[in-house]
């Protein structure tokens, strides 16, 4: 089942680098949930943003399977579990941090675009004694850019915008 997380979708589609967003803890419980996460993004195939699916590379998936708290095979075989993705339990002090390279695949033309480098981390919320899971982009290609129309409408107040439209 795919995870619903508006904050993470917004982060992928619209956030500038280094903007920190609190995202669903389902990605911490099992980072494989990142695979096939849907979000809108610009593509050369269409003037409108297209649905893209997030893809993990095979090496990451293999490491995530090794670290999975739901997979006891590695424990039985005596092979040390990969700790890169740690274990995560809400309400306990167990947390994790991993940096992941992720690719977006356009569902219209199957082109692989864009590429993100994302820092995922657990952080204690001051005063709440609760751990939340966050993500922030630390790299993106194509680079993040402010869309001209959004930029203009943010610059102008409602009053000015009215005038601007009439002009
Ligand atoms: Zn496309």
């Amino acid at each position: 089942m795919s995870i619903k997380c508006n904050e993470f979708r917004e982060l992928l589609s619209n956030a500038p680098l280094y903007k920190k967003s609190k995202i669903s803890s389902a990605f911490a419980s099992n980072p494989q949930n990142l695979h096939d996460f849907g979000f809108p993004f610009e593509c050369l195939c269409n003037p409108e943003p297209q649905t893209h699916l997030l893809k993990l590379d095979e090496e990451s998936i293999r490491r995530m399977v090794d670290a999975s708290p739901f997979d006891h095979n590695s424990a039985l075989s005596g092979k040390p579990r990969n700790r890169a993705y740690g274990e995560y339990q809400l309400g306990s002090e167990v947390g994790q941090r991993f940096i992941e390279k992720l690719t977006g695949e356009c569902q219209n033309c199957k082109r692989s675009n864009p590429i993100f480098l994302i820092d995922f981390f657990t952080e204690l919320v001051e005063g709440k004694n609760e751990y939340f899971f966050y993500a922030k982009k630390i790299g993106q290609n194509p680079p993040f850019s402010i869309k001209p129309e959004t930029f203009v409408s943010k610059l102008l107040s409602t009053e000015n915008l009215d005038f601007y439209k009439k002009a």
Side-chain angles (χ1 to χ4, degrees), residues 43 45 50 106 108-109 111:
C43 185
C45 70
Q50 297 294 300
C106 173
N108 187 39
C109 70
R111 210 178 253 119

Side-chain angles (χ1 to χ4, degrees), residues 7-106:
E7 293 79 9
F8 189 50
R9 201 180 54 192
E10 182 64 20
L11 176 107
L12 293 168
S13 300
N14 293 317
L17 293 187
Y18 308 117
K19 184 181 183 293
K20 180 172 119 178
S21 305
K22 178 178 171 286
I23 63 167
S24 169
S25 60
F27 295 119
S29 307
N30 185 1
Q32 291 174 71
N33 285 320
L34 294 167
H35 197 68
D36 284 342
F37 183 81
F39 62 100
F41 208 87
E42 310 276 334
C43 185
L44 293 172
C45 70
N46 200 293
E48 294 296 314
Q50 297 294 300
T51 299
H52 284 62
L53 294 185
L54 212 52
K55 300 291 177 186
L56 291 162
D57 64 35
E58 281 179 29
E59 174 62 18
S60 290
I61 293 173
R62 197 186 56 72
R63 281 187 284 121
M64 284 172 182
V65 169
D66 283 355
S68 170
F70 311 113
D71 175 20
H72 300 288
N73 290 335
S74 54
L76 290 173
S77 71
K79 191 176 76 173
R81 286 171 64 178
N82 189 306
R83 307 300 298 176
Y85 299 95
E87 285 176 2
Y88 188 82
Q89 296 171 292
L90 273 178
S92 85
E93 78 145 64
V94 182
Q96 57 178 291
R97 177 169 204 157
F98 57 93
I99 291 171
E100 203 59 47
K101 193 190 89 177
L102 296 153
T103 309
E105 185 192 86
C106 173

